[in-house]
Amino acid sequence: MQYEWLAKGQSSHLILFFNGWGTTRDSIAHLTEENAQNKNFDCLHLYNYQEKTLPQFDFSGYEKISLVAWSMGVYMSSQLELPFTQKIAFCGTGNPIDEENGIAPKIYQLTIQSFSEKTLPLFSKKIGFQMDNSRPAQELQQELIAIQHYDFPKANFFNCAFIADEDKIFPREAQVSYWQTHAQKIIHLASKHYPFHLFSSWKEILIQAEN
């Protein structure tokens, strides 16, 4: 797993953001830019799940730690145990390769088998956002394969789960099925799988999840 600090040493409130498969900081560029101007949060970005190992950090200096996880990042974040102030999930579940609660195993296998440089633009269109075209398609494919073999806790409770009603990656019905028993609150979004264009700042996300 890779990481990068998008903001550090400017706040006592940390946001841990677990990105989706095959994406980079570009997915939250506008949120990062707004935070650079207003300095509301420190932000640590985690991504590229070819390796599951979490980096070791000392977060003891923070008064608040908020977890925001998108897509496969929801599952990847489940190995992390911290005294979170708030846990927010977007367009994913804690059981991502599952007939009822995630992506059907047959569909996941077909995605792995058919994924290539040619299908990357089609997948980006399906998500509603440009995937990481700086990495070879084979590497993105290996990331999918790696995730398939991880064995993290499947029952992970979140304070709020955002579900995209036009999601063509994690079916809406599967997300609803999972979060009915794993989230304190569910919010539906009129969006494809990529949801962050609906928000102007991290603060807006946290407030909407809490209210």
Side-chain angles (χ1 to χ4, degrees):
M1 189 179 305
Q2 292 181 263
Y3 72 91
E4 58 181 341
W5 285 95
L6 302 180
K8 188 177 182 182
Q10 66 182 28
S11 175
S12 61
H13 189 166
L14 171 67
I15 289 179
L16 283 179
F17 176 63
F18 280 76
N19 214 335
W21 158 69
T23 48
T24 68
R25 63 158 67 187
D26 289 348
S27 66
I28 49 163
H30 62 295
L31 305 180
T32 301
E33 183 178 352
E34 189 279 339
N35 192 48
Q37 295 173 358
N38 294 300
K39 304 185 186 304
N40 290 317
F41 309 98
D42 278 12
C43 185
L44 179 60
H45 171 217
L46 299 109
Y47 64 106
N48 190 348
Y49 305 128
Q50 291 182 89
E51 298 285 341
K52 66 179 180 179
T53 306
L54 276 167
Q56 297 298 309
F57 297 103
D58 179 11
F59 298 131
S60 60
Y62 288 100
E63 296 177 8
K64 295 180 180 180
I65 304 176
S66 296
L67 171 66
V68 181
W70 173 42
S71 190
M72 280 300 177
V74 175
Y75 178 54
M76 296 303 298
S77 73
S78 64
Q79 61 180 311
L80 187 60
E81 295 184 7
L82 285 172
F84 289 110
T85 307
Q86 198 175 14
K87 295 175 67 177
I88 303 167
F90 279 93
C91 308
T93 73
N95 194 8
I97 309 170
D98 183 82
E99 199 73 45
E100 295 183 1
N101 294 324
I103 303 168
K106 287 184 180 179
I107 299 297
Y108 196 88
Q109 283 296 334
L110 284 171
T111 302
I112 290 174
Q113 293 167 12
S114 62
F115 196 77
S116 67
E117 298 287 352
K118 291 183 179 180
T119 61
L120 181 58
L122 298 176
F123 215 92
S124 295
K125 185 177 181 180
K126 196 174 183 181
I127 288 173
F129 188 79
Q130 176 63 54
M131 291 183 60
D132 185 4
N133 56 15
S134 68
R135 294 165 59 193
Q138 185 178 7
E139 190 176 306
L140 298 178
Q141 186 182 48
Q142 287 301 314
E143 187 176 346
L144 278 177
I145 293 170
I147 293 170
Q148 184 182 36
H149 295 293
Y150 297 154
D151 187 20
F152 299 144
K154 301 296 193 298
N156 198 5
F157 193 82
F158 277 67
N159 300 100
C160 182
F162 287 91
I163 296 174
D165 287 337
E166 300 167 31
D167 201 322
K168 290 181 171 58
I169 306 300
F170 279 82
R172 177 186 183 277
E173 295 76 13
Q175 293 183 59
V176 170
S177 174
Y178 181 82
W179 291 117
Q180 283 178 338
T181 55
H182 292 90
Q184 183 178 356
K185 176 181 181 181
I186 293 174
I187 297 176
H188 288 267
L189 301 173
S191 172
K192 292 185 178 181
H193 187 62
Y194 174 75
F196 297 114
H197 63 290
L198 299 175
F199 301 90
S200 61
S201 66
W202 291 114
K203 189 174 182 178
E204 183 183 357
I205 290 173
L206 268 56
I207 290 174
Q208 188 167 335
E210 187 174 3
N211 293 340

